[in-house]
């Protein structure tokens, strides 16, 4: 690990670069990004440290509730002019952003790694996601938002259209685990629809969101349309449920439920992208080596701190031993490392709270009789928040790891004999976010997929196939969420639908001269005939 410090002139040294790494953005650059955050004059700033080193990455202003409300007002004032631009013009900003994200990736790869502690290859997933999302809405949003003609109640005489208007100001609350990708997925479609956005990223990963905010303005977004406020969730939470015209929340199920209760009183729309306890099913005829390699990526990307990562594997007894051997061998080959480069496969956990909760899940499982096939310990020799990728077996219902989301590099393997039993155990959870099925053929895997109660299912993949296909909606069933991001749905949720019908000639109520009974008879014949016409 390479670090650099400079003397303060008082016999101490302080990091010259973010997190103390050579090659990382300078502290001055971090401070420049921080200045984009609104508010904070009346409250104490907080220091954020790099998970790899424990050294300072940034000192962040913390907005108060009053600061956040002022920002919502300012965003509202900026929204009308943005919404007045044609959708094609708004779309062009995102198309330019697609190119810029890919061109400027080196700086953001460093920032994402420093703030989150993830391996560079996992940070690259974020760059790819942000570019894919910008590209998708940069090409398709104007078409999806275009007014839609439908057949009017009377052919020729009624012309009917559905229009889409922006909600107004959208509030977006984001977690720390995918700071670039989730910002892109939630903010870009809101902007494309003509909304202004006020976002509250997590303090831990604020620089990544601020970086993307800066780049979006470089791509042509007028300043003031996407604002960022920082703060501890509970502190400025009220502004986010009382001020926006729509709230998009990504985070834990507990916080999502709390916000939903608060916002319900205003009858304001919201979407929730929440936690998961995602299963993988390995069918008896699945290619074992491929399934084992896929499972490693599905369980340990971003050190398992990924809402769609796999935490439960159900493997058919006939291949259980072979699969487990291959999976454990591949897991043990993963290189842990705290470096700004592609030399490590697995990074660190992001916060001390994460290290505590992951350690507690494994300790509880061990104490109740689970076997640790590999891993099961923290690695302070690599960095303060490192934890080994861990594979458990003999996991029982009384263990926390059985049903609770670990949100770390810990997976349990279970055997099964009967696919019906495997499907019912996979569905036996309050969550319903993502699932993975490994089978000899895509069609067999898809048949099983249709029976899983999760918002996304990946056949012969862990999560990347659905996550990367931006045209597909992504979100959770049951306690994993409400609403969807990505695709047309992820854009239209940020709009109000308005139906406009223009009537010509014949009125739809009986004229005085025709007796109502005659009129209704004639209408009934007409309705029957109309129902036979091929109409949209
Ligand atoms: N479904 C998805 O797309 C998705 C994606 C990423 C993460 N997640 C889930 O997020 C969780 C991990 O994230 P986390 O620990 O940061 O979640 P969290 O709920 O603690 O925090 C998420 C965000 O909400 C803010 N917040 C917390 N309490 C708040 C309150 N009372 N009012 C307003 N804002 C508040 C936090 O500051 C943070 O910005 C996991 O459960 C994971 O599965 C889901």
């Amino acid at each position: 690990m390479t670090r650099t410090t400079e003397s303060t002139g008082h016999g101490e040294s302080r990091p010259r670069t973010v997190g103390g790494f050579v090659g990382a953005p300078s502290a001055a650059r971090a401070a420049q990004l921080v200045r984009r955050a609104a508010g904070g004059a009346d409250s104490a700033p907080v220091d954020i440290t790099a998970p790899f080193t424990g050294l300072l990455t940034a000192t962040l202003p913390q907005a108060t509730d009053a600061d956040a409300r002022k920002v919502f007002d300012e965003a509202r004032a900026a929204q009308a002019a943005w919404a007045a631009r044609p959708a094609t013009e708004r779309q062009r900003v995102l198309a330019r952003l697609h190119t810029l994200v890919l061109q400027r990736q080196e700086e953001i790869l460093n920032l994402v790694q420093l703030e989150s502690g993830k391996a560079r290859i996992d940070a690259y997933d974020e760059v790819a996601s942000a570019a894919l999302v910008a590209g998708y809405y940069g090409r398709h949003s104007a078409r999806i938002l275009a007014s839609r003609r439908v057949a009017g109640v009377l052919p020729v005489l009624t012309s009917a259209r559905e229009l889409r208007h922006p909600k107004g100001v959208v509030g977006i609350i984001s977690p720390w685990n995918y700071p670039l990708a989730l910002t892109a997925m939630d903010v870009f479609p809101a902007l494309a629809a003509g909304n202004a956005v006020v976002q509250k990223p997590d303090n831990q990963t604020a620089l990544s969101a601020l970086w993307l905010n800066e780049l979006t303005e470089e791509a042509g977004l007028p300043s003031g349309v996407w604002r960022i406020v920082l703060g501890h969730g509970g502190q400025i939470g009220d502004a986010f449920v009382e001020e926006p015209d729509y709230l998009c929340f990504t985070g834990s199920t507990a916080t999502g439920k709390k916000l939903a209760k608060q916002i319900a009183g205003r009858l304001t729309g919201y979407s929730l992208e929440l936690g998961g306890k995602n299963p993988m099913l390995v069918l008896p005829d699945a290619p074992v080596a491929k399934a084992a390699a896929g499972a490693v990526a599905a369980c340990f990307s971003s050190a398992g701190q990924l809402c769609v990562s796999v935490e439960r594997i159900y493997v058919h007894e006939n291949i259980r031993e072979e699969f487990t051997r291959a999976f454990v061998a591949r897991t043990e080959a993963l290189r842990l490392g705290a470096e700004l480069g592609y030399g490590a496969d697995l990074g660190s956990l992001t916060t001390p709270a994460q290290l505590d909760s992951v350690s507690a899940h494994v300790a509880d499982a061990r104490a109740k009789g689970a076997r640790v096939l590999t891993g099961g310990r923290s690695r302070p020799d690599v960095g303060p928040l490192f934890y080994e990728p861990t594979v458990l077996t003999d996991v029982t219902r009384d263990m926390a790891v059985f049903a609770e989301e670990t949100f770390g590099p810990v997976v349990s393997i279970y055997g099964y004999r009967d696919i019906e039993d495997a499907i019912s155990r996979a569905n036996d959870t309050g969550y319903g976010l993502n699932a993975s099925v490994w089978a000899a053929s895509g069609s067999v895997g898809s048949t099983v997929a249709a029976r899983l109660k999760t918002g996304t299912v990946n056949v012969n993949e862990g999560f990347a196939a659905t996550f990367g296909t931006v045209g597909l909606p992504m979100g959770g069933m049951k306690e994993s969420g409400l609403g969807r991001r990505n695709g047309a749905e992820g854009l239209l949720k940020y709009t109000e639908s308005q139906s406009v019908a223009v009537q010509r000639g014949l009125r739809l109520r009986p004229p005085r001269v025709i007796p109502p009974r005659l009129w209704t008879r004639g209408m009934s014949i007409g309705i029957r005939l109309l129902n036979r016409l091929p109409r949209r």
Side-chain angles (χ1 to χ4, degrees), residues 173-177 182 200-202 231-234 236-238 240 249-253 255-256 258-259 262 273-276 306-307 354 405 407 433 474 480 485:
I173 300 179
S174 315
W176 45 263
N177 67 322
L182 296 176
K200 193 206 85 59
D202 195 281
H232 182 262
I236 57 172
D238 283 353
F240 275 79
F249 171 80
T250 304
S252 63
T253 297
T255 310
K258 193 166 146 188
L259 293 174
Q262 282 179 269
E273 302 287 345
L274 309 175
L306 170 58
C307 55
Q354 277 295 109
E405 181 185 40
F407 214 53
L433 193 57
M474 178 215 164
S480 286
R485 62 157 64 96

Side-chain angles (χ1 to χ4, degrees), residues 4 36 55-56 84 111 139 244 354 357 365 389 413 520:
T4 176
R36 303 187 73 78
L55 292 174
L56 188 73
L111 276 177
R139 268 185 301 141
Q354 277 295 109
S357 68
I413 298 187
T520 53

